[in-house]
Amino acid sequence: MRLSRYFLPTLKETPAEAEIVSHRLMLRAGMIRQGAAGIYSWLPLGYAVLQNIEQIVREEQDRAGANELLMPTIQSSELWRQSGRYEDYGKEMLRIKDRHGREMLYGPTNEELITEIFRAGAKSYRDVPSMLYHIQWKFRDEVRPRFGVMRGREFLMKDAYSFDLDQESAHRAYRKQFVTYLRTFARMGLKAVPMEAETGPIGGNLSHEFVILADTGETEIFTHKDLLDYDVLGQNIDLDDDDQIKPIVDYWTTQYARTDDMHDQAEFERQVPEDKRVQRRGIEVGHIFYFGTKYSEPLEANVSTKDGQSVPVHMGSYGVGVSRLVGGLIEAFHDDAGIVWPESVAPFKVGLINLRANDESCRTACDELHAKLEQAGITVLYDDTDESPGAKFAQMDLIGLPWQLIVGPKGLKAGTVELKHRASGERHELSPDAALQKLA
Ligand code: ATP
Ligand code: MG
Ligand code: MG
Ligand code: MG
């Protein structure tokens, strides 16, 4: 992609309205544009990151055997009345009337709708266990939308739902999602710690919040240091084998890990030796629930058992804040010059900088590198503009692509280009071919 043809409205000055670094950097890097309080358009650079995060979440859900579907954003109020949540949900729910005066709402979550879909399609024990998910926009009329996409009103969530015959099988589904979440966040380079959590308006009695560490997080967390050093991707886990999954979940859930809502200082001090106590701030990026028959009973989502009885299915739900993660990742990965994307979510892997766009040899060399990178399937943003080198470096650092490939007339004469690693700042002078090889 040539920068001259790419819509990248970066800002030099720091926007005054943004309180935290991720919000400031998203605005400065031209990733988002606010439409109304807590409602954003995703500009090309921001949208590319959002889609990469979405794709990691999708691959890990698929790996867990969940089926992707897509439910609408607008729902009818009827099912919500049946579950009893229409009044309970309160002002966070955006209520809308259609032209016939029917009460509609913009979904803040989808337990009711998915339960109805499952009810209509499943009949017997043969139809369970089942796991369904979608990645769809939600709306919650937050009292105080703030921190950009971290607490938006319209936001993108992955929500998965599990259906099982009994509690034991539903707990297995819960454990599968638990480990899937550990993997999902680890693939983004994040340390997400599952914490015992309150269930809030979703309901139920078993629940974990996944929290990433960040000083600007809204939640205070208390946990054991060893949990932060656990490497989940280093293991080859068969998600269908509960004997492999259960020990992992047990490891995480037997150590102290709680947010401020659930924290008990005496218990913390009893369970965790002083030198292992971690008290930090964090951002909730995911939340999983087991709530049994809370929705299946009122909505009559029953299946028949082998001996012909009709029983309500046991359910869980599993949310990931896909759009919140864009901000969360920047909170975790930035420096004074800008964003430092982990490769797995970066909008482009390489920024190719032509230091002198009007120099024939520079242009030829860059055009060739650009073509070769694209042919090799490596995503590249090619700065082919005639801005000054200083402005080009600053913009590339700001948008945080993992690698910068810098081409100037002096180097070319000596047969070299420069490869800079954004995260470490390391620079190497190499031949264009060696640089391509290093990036492949
Ligand atoms: P919070 O405590 O931050 O208000 P929540 O507990 O109300 O979040 P859940 O109902 O657990 O949220 O939703 C699942 C996930 O959706 C959350 O873990 C979070 O990552 C994301 N999420 C919730 N509310 C918002 C929001 N207003 N903006 C962006 N993401 C959100
Ligand atoms: Mg909330
Ligand atoms: Mg919460
Ligand atoms: Mg939550």
Side-chain angles (χ1 to χ4, degrees):
M1 173 65 70
R2 284 172 185 269
L3 185 60
S4 58
R5 295 180 200 157
Y6 194 65
F7 185 69
L8 184 67
T10 54
L11 306 173
K12 287 204 184 63
E13 63 284 4
T14 301
E17 73 270 27
E19 292 170 69
I20 59 170
V21 68
S22 59
H23 189 194
R24 281 197 290 275
L25 287 172
M26 285 183 79
L27 292 170
R28 285 192 52 211
M31 294 176 66
I32 49 169
R33 173 90 192 150
Q34 182 173 301
I39 301 178
Y40 292 89
S41 295
W42 292 79
L43 307 186
L45 192 79
Y47 191 45
V49 177
L50 187 70
Q51 286 177 303
N52 290 343
I53 294 172
E54 197 180 315
Q55 189 53 23
I56 291 176
V57 171
R58 175 176 291 118
E59 285 169 15
E60 292 301 321
Q61 288 298 306
D62 291 348
R63 196 170 191 269
N67 299 165
E68 186 170 13
L69 48 71
L70 185 61
M71 289 177 268
T73 54
I74 307 287
Q75 304 178 24
S76 146
S77 63
E78 272 164 52
L79 295 170
W80 288 75
R81 288 191 195 281
Q82 276 181 51
S83 73
R85 277 208 295 184
Y86 190 60
E87 302 309 330
D88 288 358
Y89 217 95
K91 290 195 165 166
E92 251 189 40
M93 183 189 272
L94 180 66
R95 294 152 208 263
I96 309 161
K97 272 209 178 104
D98 72 9
R99 60 161 66 186
H100 307 291
R102 289 191 203 104
E103 287 176 306
M104 313 293 285
L105 56 100
Y106 194 126
T109 176
N110 284 55
E111 280 78 12
E112 282 79 358
L113 196 54
I114 197 80
T115 306
E116 204 285 318
I117 289 169
F118 187 79
R119 181 198 63 73
K123 303 275 168 297
S124 80
Y125 63 90
R126 290 187 203 89
D127 299 316
V128 288
S130 174
M131 240 186 232
L132 303 172
Y133 77 100
H134 73 160
I135 302 172
Q136 177 63 294
W137 296 91
K138 306 287 184 292
F139 194 95
R140 294 183 186 175
D141 206 352
E142 302 278 353
V143 201
R144 219 147 81 79
R146 57 181 186 154
F147 301 158
V149 300
M150 294 259 253
R151 184 167 298 285
R153 292 199 294 166
E154 190 183 48
F155 60 97
L156 190 61
M157 194 203 288
K158 183 284 296 177
D159 37 327
Y161 303 87
S162 63
F163 306 87
D164 286 87
L165 199 56
D166 52 34
Q167 172 166 327
E168 198 192 307
S169 167
H171 278 181
R172 263 201 302 278
Y174 186 91
R175 288 194 285 271
K176 217 181 205 185
Q177 284 287 352
F178 190 107
V179 175
T180 293
Y181 273 43
L182 292 174
R183 283 185 51 89
T184 302
F185 299 122
R187 277 187 61 186
M188 299 171 198
L190 293 169
K191 271 264 130 65
V193 187
M195 308 252 160
E196 283 175 54
E198 280 183 315
T199 53
I202 308 286
N205 52 20
L206 174 61
S207 168
H208 287 88
E209 254 171 41
F210 286 72
V211 180
I212 58 169
L213 303 180
D215 294 337
T216 44
E218 294 182 289
T219 336
E220 185 146 41
I221 63 158
F222 303 83
T223 190
H224 192 296
K225 191 174 170 296
D226 290 353
L227 289 182
L228 302 177
D229 303 327
Y230 189 86
D231 172 24
V232 65
L233 290 182
Q235 308 174 41
N236 192 12
I237 309 158
D238 176 359
L239 288 167
D240 284 323
D241 183 358
D242 196 50
D243 290 340
Q244 291 186 34
I245 288 178
K246 195 161 180 304
I248 301 174
V249 175
D250 288 346
Y251 173 77
W252 285 92
T253 51
T254 44
Q255 314 252 24
Y256 193 99
R258 296 190 195 168
T259 61
D260 34 14
D261 294 345
M262 304 287 274
H263 178 61
D264 175 342
Q265 186 64 27
E267 196 52 36
F268 184 47
E269 286 172 16
R270 198 182 63 75
Q271 284 191 32
V272 187
E274 198 170 351
D275 61 327
K276 294 281 188 183
R277 285 179 209 150
V278 177
Q279 177 178 353
R280 295 274 299 277
R281 298 197 70 80
I283 301 163
E284 178 189 333
V285 289
H287 198 161
I288 62 176
F289 306 83
Y290 163 70
F291 42 72
T293 58
K294 180 178 171 183
Y295 300 94
S296 54
E297 260 182 71
L299 298 172
E300 296 175 17
N302 302 323
V303 291
S304 60
T305 62
K306 265 187 183 150
D307 45 20
Q309 272 180 293
S310 176
V311 295
V313 286
H314 283 250
M315 292 175 57
S317 77
Y318 314 90
V320 170
V322 175
S323 52
R324 175 176 288 182
L325 273 163
V326 181
L329 277 156
I330 298 176
E331 291 294 326
F333 302 108
H334 68 269
D335 61 18
D336 289 344
I339 304 167
V340 185
W341 293 116
E343 265 190 50
S344 59
V345 300
F348 298 92
K349 181 172 174 177
V350 185
L352 172 61
I353 302 178
N354 183 351
L355 287 179
R356 202 168 299 161
N358 52 16
D359 177 287
E360 179 73 37
S361 68
C362 282
R363 199 168 54 237
T364 313
C366 282
D367 285 357
E368 200 173 304
L369 281 167
H370 182 222
K372 282 187 174 163
L373 284 165
E374 288 198 330
Q375 268 160 27
I378 298 164
T379 53
V380 51
L381 183 63
Y382 168 18
D383 187 344
D384 58 344
T385 67
D386 53 13
E387 287 288 332
S388 72
K392 290 189 177 203
F393 291 140
Q395 188 180 44
M396 235 6 133
D397 279 351
L398 172 65
I399 67 172
L401 309 185
W403 297 94
Q404 294 173 15
L405 188 52
I406 303 156
V407 180
K410 229 194 271 157
L412 276 186
K413 275 206 191 96
T416 63
V417 295
E418 194 180 23
L419 189 62
K420 176 183 156 187
H421 185 235
R422 175 70 179 86
S424 63
E426 263 175 49
R427 293 162 181 274
H428 294 283
E429 302 242 329
L430 359 136
S431 73
D433 279 343
L436 284 172
Q437 246 168 31
K438 204 159 174 349
L439 290 169

